[in-house]
Coordinates of all heavy atoms in Angstrom, one line a residue:
L1259 N -47.0 36.9 33.7 CA -45.8 36.3 33.1 C -45.0 37.4 32.4 O -43.8 37.5 32.5 CB -46.2 35.1 32.3 CG -45.0 34.4 31.6 CD1 -43.9 34.0 32.5 CD2 -45.5 33.2 30.7
S1260 N -45.7 38.2 31.6 CA -45.1 39.3 30.8 C -44.3 40.2 31.8 O -43.2 40.6 31.5 CB -46.1 40.0 30.0 OG -46.7 39.2 29.0
N1261 N -45.0 40.6 32.8 CA -44.4 41.5 33.8 C -43.2 40.9 34.4 O -42.2 41.6 34.6 CB -45.5 41.9 34.9 CG -46.6 42.8 34.4 OD1 -46.6 43.2 33.2 ND2 -47.6 43.0 35.2
Y1262 N -43.3 39.6 34.7 CA -42.1 38.9 35.4 C -40.9 38.9 34.4 O -39.8 39.1 34.8 CB -42.6 37.6 35.8 CG -41.5 36.8 36.5 CD1 -41.0 37.2 37.8 CD2 -40.9 35.7 36.0 CE1 -40.0 36.5 38.5 CE2 -39.8 35.0 36.6 CZ -39.4 35.4 37.8 OH -38.4 34.7 38.5
L1263 N -41.2 38.5 33.1 CA -40.1 38.4 32.1 C -39.5 39.8 31.9 O -38.2 39.9 31.9 CB -40.7 37.9 30.8 CG -41.1 36.5 30.7 CD1 -41.9 36.2 29.5 CD2 -39.8 35.6 30.7
I1264 N -40.3 40.8 31.9 CA -39.7 42.2 31.7 C -38.9 42.6 32.9 O -37.8 43.2 32.8 CB -40.9 43.2 31.4 CG1 -41.5 42.9 30.0 CG2 -40.4 44.6 31.4 CD1 -42.8 43.5 29.7
Q1265 N -39.4 42.3 34.1 CA -38.7 42.6 35.3 C -37.3 41.9 35.4 O -36.3 42.5 35.8 CB -39.6 42.3 36.5 CG -38.9 42.7 37.9 CD -39.7 42.1 39.0 OE1 -40.9 42.3 39.1 NE2 -39.0 41.4 39.9
T1266 N -37.4 40.6 35.1 CA -36.1 39.8 35.3 C -35.1 39.9 34.2 O -33.9 39.7 34.3 CB -36.5 38.3 35.5 OG1 -37.3 37.9 34.4 CG2 -37.2 38.0 36.8
S1267 N -35.6 40.4 33.0 CA -34.7 40.6 31.9 C -35.0 42.0 31.2 O -35.5 42.1 30.1 CB -34.8 39.5 30.8 OG -34.6 38.2 31.4
P1268 N -34.7 43.1 32.0 CA -35.2 44.4 31.5 C -34.6 44.9 30.2 O -35.2 45.7 29.5 CB -34.8 45.3 32.7 CG -33.7 44.6 33.4 CD -34.0 43.1 33.2
N1269 N -33.4 44.5 29.9 CA -32.7 45.0 28.7 C -32.6 44.0 27.6 O -31.7 44.1 26.7 CB -31.3 45.6 29.1 CG -31.4 46.7 30.1 OD1 -32.2 47.6 30.0 ND2 -30.6 46.5 31.2
K1270 N -33.5 43.0 27.6 CA -33.4 41.9 26.6 C -34.6 42.0 25.6 O -35.7 42.3 26.0 CB -33.4 40.6 27.3 CG -33.1 39.4 26.4 CD -33.0 38.1 27.2 CE -32.7 37.0 26.3 NZ -32.9 35.7 27.0
E1271 N -34.3 41.6 24.4 CA -35.4 41.4 23.4 C -36.1 40.1 23.7 O -35.5 39.0 23.4 CB -34.9 41.5 22.0 CG -36.0 41.4 21.0 CD -35.6 41.3 19.5 OE1 -34.4 41.6 19.3 OE2 -36.3 40.9 18.7
L1272 N -37.2 40.1 24.4 CA -37.8 38.9 24.9 C -38.6 38.2 23.8 O -39.2 38.8 22.9 CB -38.8 39.2 26.0 CG -38.1 39.8 27.3 CD1 -39.1 40.4 28.2 CD2 -37.4 38.6 28.0
K1273 N -38.5 36.8 23.9 CA -39.2 36.0 22.9 C -39.9 34.8 23.6 O -39.4 34.2 24.5 CB -38.2 35.4 21.9 CG -37.5 36.4 21.0 CD -36.6 35.8 20.0 CE -35.3 35.2 20.6 NZ -34.4 34.7 19.7
V1274 N -41.1 34.5 23.1 CA -41.9 33.4 23.6 C -42.4 32.6 22.4 O -42.6 33.2 21.3 CB -43.1 33.8 24.5 CG1 -42.6 34.5 25.7 CG2 -44.1 34.6 23.8
V1275 N -42.7 31.3 22.6 CA -43.3 30.5 21.6 C -44.6 29.9 22.1 O -44.6 29.5 23.3 CB -42.4 29.4 21.0 CG1 -41.8 28.5 22.1 CG2 -43.0 28.6 19.9
I1276 N -45.7 29.8 21.3 CA -47.0 29.4 21.8 C -47.5 28.2 20.9 O -47.5 28.4 19.6 CB -48.0 30.5 21.8 CG1 -47.5 31.7 22.7 CG2 -49.4 30.0 22.3 CD1 -48.4 32.9 22.6
A1277 N -47.9 27.1 21.5 CA -48.6 26.0 20.8 C -49.9 25.8 21.4 O -50.2 26.3 22.5 CB -47.7 24.8 20.8
F1278 N -50.7 25.0 20.7 CA -52.1 24.6 21.2 C -52.5 23.3 20.7 O -52.0 22.8 19.7 CB -53.1 25.7 20.9 CG -53.2 26.0 19.4 CD1 -54.1 25.4 18.6 CD2 -52.4 27.0 18.8 CE1 -54.2 25.6 17.2 CE2 -52.5 27.3 17.4 CZ -53.4 26.6 16.6
D1279 N -53.5 22.7 21.4 CA -53.9 21.3 21.0 C -55.2 21.4 20.2 O -55.6 22.4 19.7 CB -54.0 20.4 22.2 CG -55.1 20.8 23.2 OD1 -55.9 21.7 22.9 OD2 -55.2 20.1 24.3
C1280 N -55.9 20.2 20.2 CA -57.2 20.0 19.4 C -58.4 20.5 20.2 O -59.5 20.3 19.6 CB -57.3 18.6 19.1 SG -57.3 17.5 20.5
R1281 N -58.3 21.0 21.4 CA -59.5 21.2 22.2 C -60.3 22.4 21.7 O -59.8 23.3 21.0 CB -59.1 21.5 23.7 CG -58.6 20.2 24.3 CD -58.2 20.3 25.7 NE -58.0 19.0 26.2 CZ -59.0 18.2 26.8 NH1 -60.2 18.7 26.9 NH2 -58.7 17.0 27.1
H1282 N -61.6 22.5 22.2 CA -62.4 23.6 21.9 C -61.7 24.9 22.4 O -61.3 24.9 23.5 CB -63.8 23.4 22.5 CG -64.6 22.3 22.0 ND1 -64.9 22.1 20.7 CD2 -65.0 21.2 22.6 CE1 -65.5 21.0 20.5 NE2 -65.6 20.4 21.7
N1283 N -61.7 25.9 21.6 CA -61.2 27.2 22.0 C -59.7 27.3 22.1 O -59.1 28.4 22.3 CB -61.8 27.7 23.3 CG -63.3 27.9 23.2 OD1 -63.8 28.4 22.2 ND2 -64.0 27.3 24.2
S1284 N -58.9 26.2 21.9 CA -57.5 26.2 22.1 C -56.8 27.2 21.2 O -56.0 28.0 21.6 CB -56.9 24.9 21.9 OG -57.1 24.0 23.0
Q1285 N -57.2 27.2 19.9 CA -56.6 28.1 18.9 C -57.0 29.6 19.3 O -56.1 30.5 19.2 CB -57.0 27.8 17.5 CG -56.3 28.6 16.4 CD -56.4 28.0 15.0 OE1 -57.2 27.1 14.8 NE2 -55.6 28.5 14.1
K1286 N -58.2 29.8 19.6 CA -58.7 31.2 20.0 C -57.9 31.6 21.2 O -57.4 32.8 21.3 CB -60.2 31.1 20.2 CG -60.8 32.5 20.6 CD -62.3 32.4 20.9 CE -62.6 32.0 22.3 NZ -64.0 32.1 22.6
F1287 N -57.8 30.8 22.2 CA -57.1 31.1 23.4 C -55.6 31.4 23.1 O -55.0 32.3 23.7 CB -57.2 30.0 24.5 CG -58.5 29.9 25.1 CD1 -58.9 28.7 25.7 CD2 -59.4 31.0 25.2 CE1 -60.2 28.5 26.3 CE2 -60.6 30.8 25.9 CZ -61.0 29.6 26.4
A1288 N -55.0 30.6 22.2 CA -53.6 30.8 21.9 C -53.4 32.2 21.3 O -52.4 32.9 21.6 CB -53.1 29.7 20.9
K1289 N -54.3 32.6 20.5 CA -54.2 34.0 19.8 C -54.4 35.1 20.9 O -53.6 36.1 20.9 CB -55.2 34.1 18.7 CG -55.2 35.5 18.0 CD -53.8 35.8 17.4 CE -53.8 37.0 16.4 NZ -53.9 38.2 17.1
I1290 N -55.3 34.9 21.8 CA -55.4 35.8 22.9 C -54.1 36.0 23.7 O -53.7 37.1 24.0 CB -56.6 35.4 23.9 CG1 -58.0 35.6 23.1 CG2 -56.6 36.3 25.2 CD1 -59.1 35.0 23.8
V1291 N -53.5 34.8 24.0 CA -52.3 34.8 24.8 C -51.2 35.5 24.0 O -50.4 36.3 24.5 CB -51.9 33.4 25.1 CG1 -50.5 33.3 25.7 CG2 -52.9 32.8 26.2
A1292 N -51.1 35.2 22.7 CA -50.1 35.9 21.8 C -50.4 37.4 21.8 O -49.4 38.2 21.8 CB -50.3 35.3 20.4
D1293 N -51.6 37.8 21.7 CA -52.0 39.2 21.7 C -51.4 39.9 23.0 O -50.8 41.0 22.9 CB -53.5 39.4 21.7 CG -54.1 39.1 20.3 OD1 -53.3 38.9 19.4 OD2 -55.3 39.0 20.2

């Protein structure tokens, strides 16, 4: 997804927002995705 965003908007300051639910590992996975 990062590669696609960079390719489709090459000269833009890209921004994403990440949320997560109550499930096991959701918060840990969210941080990995943010990383």
Side-chain angles (χ1 to χ4, degrees):
L1259 177 55
S1260 297
N1261 291 352
Y1262 182 69
L1263 286 166
I1264 292 163
Q1265 180 191 308
T1266 52
S1267 303
N1269 301 311
K1270 188 179 180 190
E1271 186 187 339
L1272 294 165
K1273 296 183 287 186
V1274 300
V1275 56
I1276 301 170
F1278 56 91
D1279 70 2
C1280 58
R1281 289 180 171 273
H1282 298 302
N1283 301 313
S1284 283
Q1285 186 163 11
K1286 181 179 83 172
F1287 287 155
K1289 180 59 169 71
I1290 289 167
V1291 170
D1293 289 348

